[in-house]
Amino acid sequence: MRRNKGLMISAIALAGAFALSGCTDSGASTPSAAPVEEVTFDEGTTMAALNEAGEITIGTKFDQPLFGLKGPDGDPVGFDVEIGKLIASKLGIEASGITWTETVSANREPFIQNGDVDLVVATYTINDARKEVVSFAGPYYEAGQDLLVLAGNEADIAGPEDLADKKVCTVSGSTSEKNIAAYTTNVIATDTYSNCLGPLRSGEVDAVTTDNVILAGLADQNAGEFEVVGNPFTAEPYGIGLAKDDTEFRNFINDVLEEAYEDGTWAEAWEATAGSVLETPEPPAVDRY
C-alpha cells in the first residue's frame, strides 16, 4: 500500500509537468518528467525496495517512433517512455534514477524473468501465453495489427487476405508474427521493425506487419516513402510486463494508470508524443485479474 507523506499533487500540477521540452525526429514533443512524490510503502514490497534504492530499470523499445525511439542523448523518447517515467515518479524515483534497457520482442519475457529489468513498457501485447511466465498491469493502450506498404500501394494490398502470394516482414517472437501466419507462411522475420524497411524499399517484401501505431510512427519518420493500409485486423492491448505473481506491484501500477486517466496525465503524455501523428484515444480499462 502506498502512503503519501505530503499533499497529493493536483491534476493541474501534473499536467504542467508535461510541458514540452524538445522534439523527436518524427516531430513529436517530449514532455518533461512528472514531479516525484514523497511516498512510503509497506515493507517487503517491490515498491518499497525500488523506492529505497531510488532507482529502477525499465525495458523499452529503442526503434519505435512515437512510443520508444532512442533520442540524441542516448535515452529513448515516446509514449511508452512517458508511461515508465510516470510509474517511476509515483515510486518516488527521479527520472535520473531510471536506467533504460533496450528490449526487443524476443527478449522481453527473459529480461523480466531473469531480473534484468523491473518493468517492460515496450508495445507489449498482453496475451495468455505470456501470462504464463510474466504478469501484466494495464492495458494502457489498445492497438490493432495492420500493414505498411510502399507509398501508392501499387501492389493493391487492402488487408491480410491479399498476402497469400506476397512476402511480408515482421519481427521474430512478436504477436504480429503469430497472427500473420494465419494468412501467409511467406514471412521474413527479423529482430526489429526498422530492419523491415530496407526489404520493403527494395521489393524483397511487399508489406511489413505489426501494430498500426508502430507502422504509423515508421511512416511518419520516413515521410513520403510508405503508407499504412488502414485496415486493422486484430486487437492488441498493450500492457506493462513485470515479474510473475507480483500482485501488489501490479495493483500499484494499475492504480497509477487509473489516476493518470482521471487527472489528464495520460492524455498529456499521449498528445506530447504519439499524438503528434495519431488521434487521442479513450484510455482502456485496466484488467484487475
Side-chain angles (χ1 to χ4, degrees):
M1 179 180 294
R2 178 175 53 165
R3 303 186 186 93
N4 284 302
K5 290 181 180 176
L7 295 174
M8 291 295 295
I9 296 177
S10 68
I12 294 174
L14 280 169
F18 283 93
L20 306 184
S21 61
C23 299
T24 68
D25 291 341
S26 67
S29 301
T30 304
S32 59
V36 174
E37 295 187 24
E38 188 178 357
V39 290
T40 58
F41 299 94
D42 290 342
E43 188 176 350
T45 62
T46 299
M47 297 85 76
L50 293 170
N51 174 264
E52 184 177 352
E55 298 177 347
I56 188 170
T57 300
I58 301 176
T60 196
K61 298 287 184 70
F62 278 21
D63 71 328
Q64 307 286 270
L66 308 180
F67 276 72
L69 181 67
K70 193 171 184 179
D73 63 355
D75 286 336
V77 294
F79 184 61
D80 281 350
V81 174
E82 295 310 313
I83 293 296
K85 288 179 182 177
L86 175 63
I87 295 166
S89 73
K90 296 296 184 178
L91 288 164
I93 299 172
E94 300 281 353
S96 60
I98 302 173
T99 297
W100 299 103
T101 296
E102 183 178 16
T103 54
V104 298
S105 295
N107 67 19
R108 289 175 296 198
E109 286 93 65
F111 276 18
I112 295 169
Q113 291 175 293
N114 296 337
D116 297 320
V117 297
D118 299 300
L119 295 173
V120 168
V121 194
T123 60
Y124 197 6
T125 299
I126 301 169
N127 63 38
D128 289 340
R130 289 170 176 165
K131 284 183 183 179
E132 293 294 319
V133 293
V134 301
S135 287
F136 285 99
Y140 62 94
Y141 179 74
E142 186 167 292
Q145 188 168 341
D146 211 324
L147 300 167
L148 185 75
V149 297
L150 291 175
N153 194 11
E154 292 183 6
D156 198 27
I157 297 171
E161 297 82 3
D162 298 325
L163 298 175
D165 60 346
K166 295 179 172 61
K167 293 182 180 179
V168 185
C169 186
T170 192
V171 161
S172 177
S174 66
T175 303
S176 300
E177 182 184 28
K178 295 180 178 66
N179 291 339
I180 204 64
Y183 299 93
T184 179
T185 57
N186 201 356
V187 176
I188 293 176
T190 183
D191 59 341
T192 64
Y193 293 109
S194 57
N195 284 341
C196 286
L197 299 184
L200 182 57
R201 288 187 182 100
S202 68
E204 184 181 351
V205 300
D206 301 285
V208 177
T209 187
T210 185
D211 300 344
N212 51 0
V213 292
I214 297 173
L215 297 177
L218 293 171
D220 181 63
Q221 194 180 39
N222 299 273
E225 289 193 76
F226 310 111
E227 63 182 72
V228 181
V229 168
N231 184 18
F233 52 95
T234 67
E236 306 296 335
Y238 287 175
I240 297 162
L242 63 147
K244 178 71 173 170
D245 295 330
D246 191 343
T247 303
E248 289 175 310
F249 196 24
R250 180 177 179 275
N251 287 339
F252 165 78
I253 296 170
N254 279 337
D255 288 344
V256 170
L257 292 175
E258 289 182 335
E259 183 180 339
Y261 296 166
E262 292 170 5
D263 67 23
T265 307
W266 182 91
E268 291 282 347
W270 176 270
E271 289 162 8
T273 53
S276 65
V277 174
L278 302 164
E279 295 273 338
T280 302
E282 288 294 320
V286 300
D287 183 4
R288 296 280 182 176
Y289 68 84

